[in-house]
Amino acid sequence: MTIKSYDELSSLELDTLKEIGSIGTGNAATSLSALIGKPVRIQQPEVRIMEYNEAIEWIGGPEPITAGVLVGMSGQLSGIMLSVQQLDFVNLVLESMMERTIKDYMELGEIERSALTEVGNIMISTFINALSGLADLDIKLTVPAFTVDMQGAIMAVPMAEYGGQSNYIMTIGGNFICNGKEIPCRLLLSPDIRSLNFLLRKLGVNSGE
Amino acid sequence: MKMAQGSGMLITYALGSCIGICLYDQRIKLASLIHIMLPLNMEPGRKNTMKYADTGIRETLKLMESKGASRSRITAKIAGGAKMFEISGGNLGNIGQRNIESVRMHLKREGIQLLKEDVGGSVARTLLFDPATGMACVRSYGRPEMIF
């Protein structure tokens, strides 16, 4: 069945997306580990389809400041992928790569911003590579864009781009474990609805009728 | 959409490309705050009226009039419409600008005077509106608070 909105996904389709979330996050963790030169393990990620307001509560409210890396997808799958980098994550990267940490995002200089952009970009690219390999899709990615601002406004970006189609958003949340510490990893994958149907069809769980 | 009369601060959080529209009838101190996400409602059946600039403004004005507000006295203040990410190529990220244009156009079409605005740029905004005074306040990251 072709779906018109995320909330129409069947449990089989949801399970398939969850599997993609797991595989993608696993790959992203491996690339993060290579970048920071430390072993990074992951806990079973949680893939959820949530309404926008629910997603905002899930990530910790609209106003806290966070960093976000956004990559646009086009080709056989179009949409947006976001990596939301909360302070723990930022400090893991900065400490490993530059031996410094920050208490406020205001302390981020040009080099730190560039490093975080690249880490987000590589994690997203690895995730999408795993996805495109799995579903045999040709997906093109834009250069990454970086911002530091209220997380509610960052999370609203995929909603505004595809908000005419659905009030739902797909979130992939897991914890990276590094140096015995749990670091939340927050990824948002937002294919447009046409692409989502195409993806499910390619994976053989959506007949397209 | 939130509405209050005389007291009780209205607030909407983290407007990125979205726009917060404060509509206010000074005489009866009736205030509304709409948080729109997209410029035009093209949904079949036009549900979710408050998500869109056109239907959001129209429906809110009707509601305010049913509570005794007069169209000729209602004024507007708006904030939002930022571009959160600078993305090269494609038309991704232009939604803020399209929202600003649509809100201005629909206010004009409904005959509502736009008193003040804090729109565009690249920062997210939290918008507060005080029904007692008709003053709006914008909070952003890395920018002083703005009252207008």
Side-chain angles (χ1 to χ4, degrees):
Chain A
M1 191 183 84
T2 301
I3 58 158
K4 291 191 193 68
S5 154
Y6 275 86
D7 54 332
E8 293 173 20
L9 288 167
S10 70
S11 60
L12 174 64
E13 290 163 341
L14 272 175
D15 283 343
T16 309
L17 292 176
K18 285 180 184 174
E19 193 51 36
I20 285 173
S22 291
I23 295 168
T25 313
N27 280 277
T30 308
S31 64
L32 176 65
S33 168
L35 276 171
I36 64 174
K38 285 178 185 168
V40 176
R41 291 189 297 125
I42 53 160
Q43 288 174 344
Q44 177 66 29
E46 180 191 27
V47 178
R48 293 176 63 182
I49 311 287
M50 281 186 267
E51 207 236 313
Y52 172 69
N53 288 320
E54 215 182 321
I56 294 291
E57 290 314 313
W58 170 78
I59 207 149
E63 271 197 313
I65 303 303
T66 193
V69 177
L70 179 147
V71 174
M73 304 181 276
S74 62
Q76 287 183 294
L77 194 78
S78 55
I80 286 175
M81 187 147 186
L82 257 177
S83 156
V84 177
Q85 305 178 334
Q86 293 172 322
L87 212 51
D88 278 349
F89 181 88
V90 168
N91 279 329
L92 171 68
V93 171
L94 295 185
E95 197 179 1
S96 313
M97 295 175 84
M98 296 166 181
E99 293 175 352
R100 63 164 298 200
T101 57
I102 57 164
K103 287 194 176 65
D104 186 299
Y105 286 96
M106 285 286 181
E107 297 169 43
L108 290 177
E110 189 82 16
I111 294 177
E112 287 84 7
R113 293 169 76 96
S114 161
L116 291 170
T117 310
E118 217 34 63
V119 168
N121 185 35
I122 289 169
M123 283 172 56
I124 291 173
S125 306
T126 337
F127 189 111
I128 298 297
N129 267 340
L131 169 64
S132 69
L134 216 60
D136 187 25
L137 289 174
D138 183 20
I139 305 170
K140 290 184 190 67
L141 300 176
T142 65
V143 289
F146 180 82
T147 199
V148 170
D149 217 316
M150 298 180 194
Q151 53 191 16
I154 291 176
M155 302 262 296
V157 171
M159 293 298 297
E161 288 301 330
Y162 305 111
Q165 300 169 343
S166 171
N167 288 317
Y168 292 81
I169 195 165
M170 180 171 151
T171 58
I172 302 148
N175 286 324
F176 287 151
I177 300 165
C178 186
N179 292 344
K181 212 179 145 193
E182 283 185 17
I183 314 271
C185 161
R186 301 282 178 259
L187 293 167
L188 277 81
L189 177 65
S190 299
D192 64 23
I193 286 295
R194 184 193 59 83
S195 300
L196 182 63
N197 277 303
F198 184 63
L199 172 66
L200 291 167
R201 211 152 51 230
K202 276 288 224 179
L203 291 167
V205 288
N206 173 322
S207 64
E209 297 307 316
Chain B
M1 196 272 293
K2 295 164 189 164
M3 204 182 277
Q5 192 161 15
S7 65
M9 191 67 85
L10 297 175
I11 181 159
T12 192
Y13 297 98
L15 295 156
S17 60
C18 299
I19 296 190
I21 309 165
C22 311
L23 295 172
Y24 188 55
D25 181 334
Q26 176 84 47
R27 179 157 332 149
I28 62 167
K29 299 197 183 302
L30 181 67
S32 303
L33 178 55
I34 324 168
H35 180 143
I36 64 105
M37 186 172 261
L38 294 166
L40 286 173
N41 192 344
M42 289 184 288
E43 285 182 28
R46 303 240 172 157
K47 286 180 197 150
N48 294 313
T49 49
M50 295 303 167
K51 198 167 130 185
Y52 304 92
D54 55 345
T55 50
I57 291 172
R58 204 179 307 139
E59 288 304 308
T60 305
L61 285 171
K62 269 191 213 153
L63 275 168
M64 289 178 74
E65 283 176 318
S66 74
K67 290 184 185 299
S70 154
R71 179 76 60 122
S72 61
R73 290 194 305 256
I74 298 176
T75 54
K77 291 181 179 178
I78 64 172
K83 188 173 189 180
M84 296 306 297
F85 288 94
E86 208 52 59
I87 306 154
S88 46
N91 58 355
L92 263 178
N94 282 332
I95 197 84
Q97 190 54 38
R98 279 162 50 209
N99 278 335
I100 297 170
E101 283 158 18
S102 177
V103 167
R104 283 184 187 145
M105 187 183 85
H106 284 96
L107 287 172
K108 197 170 178 185
R109 189 175 286 176
E110 300 290 336
I112 303 300
Q113 192 192 354
L114 177 57
L115 291 181
K116 290 280 167 57
E117 60 176 29
D118 174 28
V119 293
S122 60
V123 292
R125 299 165 171 94
T126 285
L127 173 65
L128 298 91
F129 191 78
D130 185 355
T133 60
M135 294 307 285
C137 171
V138 171
R139 275 205 304 252
S140 321
Y141 177 68
R143 236 179 45 159
E145 213 168 77
M146 200 165 116
I147 293 173
F148 62 93

